[in-house]
Structures are given as C-alpha cells and as structure tokens.
Amino acid sequence: MILRRVVESDADDLFHLHNDPEVMRYLNGGRPTPREEIAERTLPALIGGGFYTALDKRQAGRFLGWFHLRPAEGGTDEEPELGYRLHQAAWGRGYATEGSRALIAKAFGELGARRVSARTMTVNLGSRRVMEKSGLRFARTFPLDSLAHVEGWEQGGVEYELLRPEWQAARDAGHSG
C-alpha cells in the first residue's frame, strides 16, 4: 500500500467512498453525501489536514480509501488521532492495520508524539479489531448523543490509545506497530 497526501484529483474516488452505505454505516447511518459537499467541504478539509490517500501498489494504484493522523478536535500535535475510511473491497485484507501501523510509526518516530489515539462506535467491531492489531489498547468509553440517528449509538463510543513508552518497548522487542 502507498500512502500519499490527498489531492484534488481524489474527488471522484472520495465521492464513491463516502456514498457506500456500509462504509458510512457507523459514521452517518449510511446516508449519501452529495457531490457538492465532497467538492466544497470534504475535499478541502482532507487536503489541508493530515489526511492520506491509500493506494494499492499491487493493482496499479487503485484507490483504497484514506487515513488521517492529526490532532483530535481541541487536541495537540503531541497527541494525534488516527482514523481511516476504506472501501469494502479493502476490508479484511490487512490494509487498515498496515496503514495504521505506518502512521503510528510516523507519529512516534518522526513527529515526536507522546500519545496516539483512535475512536469508533462501540458496535464497530471491525475497527476495534484493527485498533488492537495496530498496537492500541482500550482506554475509555464515551457517550455518542450526536449520533442518535445511527444504529448502536446508545452503546456509545470507544477510544483506544498507544503511549510512546509502550510503542518504544514493542519496537525494541522487535514487534511492528
């Protein structure tokens, strides 16, 4: 997999990704995203803020989705949040774990982070498993009242984290992450 910064020419791929009901199930309940919103709000936000397009290097650079590593809302550069959104065709193939591990290594190895976190809905077991396989551990649950229209919202959200000393110890022991 190749990770590169999001660019304007990703607009069509983003439109298709953000309009797959299963991809968006735990994000907005699977509602479609108008092309205008992708062009006017989503794409500019992704271009300007720590987002990376994921491409399959084995299949001529086929668009897989995106990852982000950026400060959480109200957070600092020392504590970036990891996130990802991948096409269904990429699910279960290790791409989410591969991209997550690469960005975790970037956060600690290049950016000087002291903590990396990731969040999802409690019911999103696939994303939770990716977080665990990437080396993050469960940190807390939190309410998701703003997602009351999404199935499973009442179970809240979960946050996973990895602290620099834990990452360093795993790296020193020879584990990837």
Side-chain angles (χ1 to χ4, degrees):
M1 178 174 57
I2 299 166
L3 293 176
R4 63 148 169 84
R5 294 286 184 175
V6 175
V7 295
E8 296 261 346
S9 60
D10 292 328
D12 286 340
D13 290 323
L14 291 169
F15 175 75
H16 293 294
L17 178 68
H18 288 227
N19 278 281
D20 181 327
E22 280 303 304
V23 169
M24 301 303 289
R25 177 180 178 188
Y26 297 118
L27 300 162
N28 70 7
R31 291 191 324 260
T33 305
R35 185 172 290 279
E36 300 77 37
E37 184 174 331
I38 297 291
E40 295 171 13
R41 292 201 343 224
T42 304
L43 185 59
L46 271 60
I47 287 173
F51 285 81
Y52 301 86
T53 298
L55 304 170
D56 187 340
K57 65 181 173 185
R58 295 176 305 212
Q59 293 187 7
R62 180 176 60 102
F63 180 85
L64 299 170
W66 56 255
F67 287 82
H68 76 67
L69 182 67
R70 62 189 179 134
E73 189 172 320
T76 69
D77 289 340
E78 291 184 326
E79 295 193 0
E81 183 177 60
L82 173 70
Y84 43 84
R85 190 169 303 169
L86 299 175
H87 276 293
Q88 286 186 67
W91 295 359
R93 297 175 176 260
Y95 292 116
T97 302
E98 179 184 346
S100 295
R101 286 179 176 169
L103 290 178
I104 289 168
K106 180 179 184 70
F108 290 121
E110 294 176 34
L111 305 178
R114 67 170 208 83
R115 175 182 183 263
V116 173
S117 65
R119 298 172 137 206
T120 191
M121 290 182 70
T122 299
V123 296
N124 190 345
L125 300 179
S127 277
R128 292 180 71 173
R129 182 69 184 125
V130 167
M131 292 173 193
E132 292 166 358
K133 287 170 60 175
S134 300
L136 281 73
R137 64 177 169 71
F138 175 81
R140 68 183 183 104
T141 59
F142 56 90
L144 284 176
D145 297 334
S146 65
L147 292 177
H149 61 286
V150 178
E151 179 184 346
W153 74 272
E154 67 283 349
Q155 293 182 44
V158 290
E159 181 176 61
Y160 283 69
E161 69 179 0
L162 182 60
L163 304 177
R164 174 181 280 286
E166 297 164 340
W167 174 79
Q168 187 69 51
R171 195 180 83 167
D172 291 348
H175 299 99
S176 61

